[in-house]
Amino acid sequence: MSYETILEQIKAVPEECLDEIAEMITFILYRYEQRISDVAVERSMDKYFGTIDLGDGLELQRKMRSEWD
């Protein structure tokens, strides 16, 4: 959906509803910024700690369990 289409739809809404629409847009922007910051944190942690592939993780668990036995 394009910005022009959204703007036309908003213009068709009665003025009493504009406060509710503004709150919804604020919430959507908040969630978008939160998602971007979560991805940035996840990427920065990968940089320092690396990632473990599922197969590598299972092998690591097996080694640890055999050490405990």
Side-chain angles (χ1 to χ4, degrees), residues 15-57:
E15 285 192 34
E16 301 89 43
C17 300
L18 292 180
D19 288 335
E20 188 175 350
I21 292 172
E23 289 176 10
M24 289 180 188
I25 291 172
T26 303
F27 176 72
I28 291 169
L29 291 173
Y30 166 77
R31 293 286 298 183
Y32 177 74
E33 290 173 5
Q34 188 178 30
R35 190 177 325 137
I36 288 175
S37 66
D38 289 347
V39 169
V41 168
E42 184 178 313
R43 287 184 183 158
S44 67
M45 293 298 210
D46 287 349
K47 182 173 82 174
Y48 296 109
F49 297 106
T51 57
I52 296 178
D53 188 14
L54 181 59
D56 295 338

Side-chain angles (χ1 to χ4, degrees), residues 52-68:
I52 296 178
D53 188 14
L54 181 59
D56 295 338
L58 292 175
E59 185 61 33
L60 181 63
Q61 283 184 349
R62 284 188 196 105
K63 287 180 183 178
M64 291 175 69
R65 286 182 183 157
S66 64
E67 288 176 6
W68 294 336

